[in-house]
Amino acid sequence: DQSGKVHIRMQQRNGRKSWTIVTGMPNEVKLPKSGRTLEVDFDKILRALKKSFKTNGLLIHNEEHGVIIQLQGDIRKEIAAFFIDHTALITKDQVMIHGS
């Protein structure tokens, strides 16, 4: 994303089923102490998300939006907390939760 914002939104499927979609994640992250740049391992992040929220999910590689993380269920707030607290890849002011 041009502004470096991470968008977390919910998309209705059918009935009470829904997707939670995360877009705008950075592809690489700079380490604060050493200043090294590391690639973000989206497979590892997806595995941790699926395990901690006991839900299924998938990665979508989009040319315009980069890597999109798609998870089952409406877990927007929980995912935002996970990214801010557990991974520290993004900060609180980078997160945009839509529709809550």
Side-chain angles (χ1 to χ4, degrees), residues 23 37 58 65-66 75 83 89 94:
T23 56
T37 315
L58 61 147
H65 299 291
I75 45 176
F83 279 126
L89 289 174
Q94 279 180 295

Short mmCIF file of all heavy atoms in Angstrom, two decimals, residues 23 37 58 65-66 75 83 89 94:
data_model
loop_
_atom_site.label_atom_id
_atom_site.label_comp_id
_atom_site.label_asym_id
_atom_site.label_seq_id
_atom_site.Cartn_x
_atom_site.Cartn_y
_atom_site.Cartn_z
N THR A 23 -4.93 -6.99 4.05
CA THR A 23 -4.16 -6.53 2.89
C THR A 23 -3.19 -5.45 3.33
O THR A 23 -3.36 -4.83 4.38
CB THR A 23 -5.09 -5.95 1.81
OG1 THR A 23 -5.87 -4.91 2.39
CG2 THR A 23 -6.00 -7.00 1.23
N THR A 37 17.54 -6.09 6.95
CA THR A 37 16.21 -6.23 6.37
C THR A 37 15.94 -7.71 6.13
O THR A 37 16.75 -8.39 5.50
CB THR A 37 16.13 -5.47 5.03
OG1 THR A 37 16.74 -4.19 5.21
CG2 THR A 37 14.70 -5.28 4.61
N LEU A 58 -5.98 -18.85 3.95
CA LEU A 58 -5.13 -19.05 2.78
C LEU A 58 -4.44 -17.75 2.42
O LEU A 58 -4.86 -16.67 2.83
CB LEU A 58 -5.93 -19.58 1.59
CG LEU A 58 -7.06 -18.73 1.04
CD1 LEU A 58 -7.16 -18.94 -0.46
CD2 LEU A 58 -8.36 -19.10 1.69
N HIS A 65 -2.15 -5.73 -4.80
CA HIS A 65 -2.20 -5.58 -3.34
C HIS A 65 -1.13 -6.38 -2.62
O HIS A 65 -1.10 -6.37 -1.39
CB HIS A 65 -3.57 -6.02 -2.81
CG HIS A 65 -4.70 -5.21 -3.37
ND1 HIS A 65 -4.90 -3.89 -3.04
CD2 HIS A 65 -5.68 -5.53 -4.24
CE1 HIS A 65 -5.96 -3.44 -3.67
NE2 HIS A 65 -6.45 -4.40 -4.43
N GLY A 66 -0.27 -7.10 -3.31
CA GLY A 66 0.76 -7.91 -2.65
C GLY A 66 0.15 -9.19 -2.11
O GLY A 66 -0.70 -9.79 -2.74
N ILE A 75 -12.80 -12.21 12.67
CA ILE A 75 -11.84 -12.09 13.79
C ILE A 75 -10.95 -10.88 13.55
O ILE A 75 -9.74 -10.92 13.75
CB ILE A 75 -11.00 -13.39 13.93
CG1 ILE A 75 -10.50 -13.88 12.57
CG2 ILE A 75 -11.79 -14.46 14.62
CD1 ILE A 75 -9.60 -15.08 12.65
N PHE A 83 -1.18 -9.14 15.30
CA PHE A 83 -0.10 -8.51 14.53
C PHE A 83 0.66 -7.47 15.35
O PHE A 83 1.87 -7.34 15.23
CB PHE A 83 -0.64 -7.88 13.25
CG PHE A 83 -0.84 -8.87 12.14
CD1 PHE A 83 -2.06 -8.99 11.50
CD2 PHE A 83 0.19 -9.69 11.74
CE1 PHE A 83 -2.24 -9.91 10.48
CE2 PHE A 83 0.01 -10.61 10.72
CZ PHE A 83 -1.21 -10.72 10.10
N LEU A 89 5.30 -6.76 13.65
CA LEU A 89 5.62 -6.37 12.27
C LEU A 89 5.04 -5.00 11.95
O LEU A 89 5.60 -4.26 11.16
CB LEU A 89 5.05 -7.40 11.28
CG LEU A 89 5.71 -8.75 11.23
CD1 LEU A 89 4.93 -9.68 10.32
CD2 LEU A 89 7.14 -8.64 10.75
N GLN A 94 -0.67 1.84 12.18
CA GLN A 94 -0.67 1.36 10.80
C GLN A 94 -1.93 0.55 10.47
O GLN A 94 -2.24 0.33 9.32
CB GLN A 94 0.54 0.47 10.54
CG GLN A 94 1.82 1.22 10.26
CD GLN A 94 2.96 0.25 10.02
OE1 GLN A 94 3.36 -0.48 10.90
NE2 GLN A 94 3.46 0.24 8.80
#
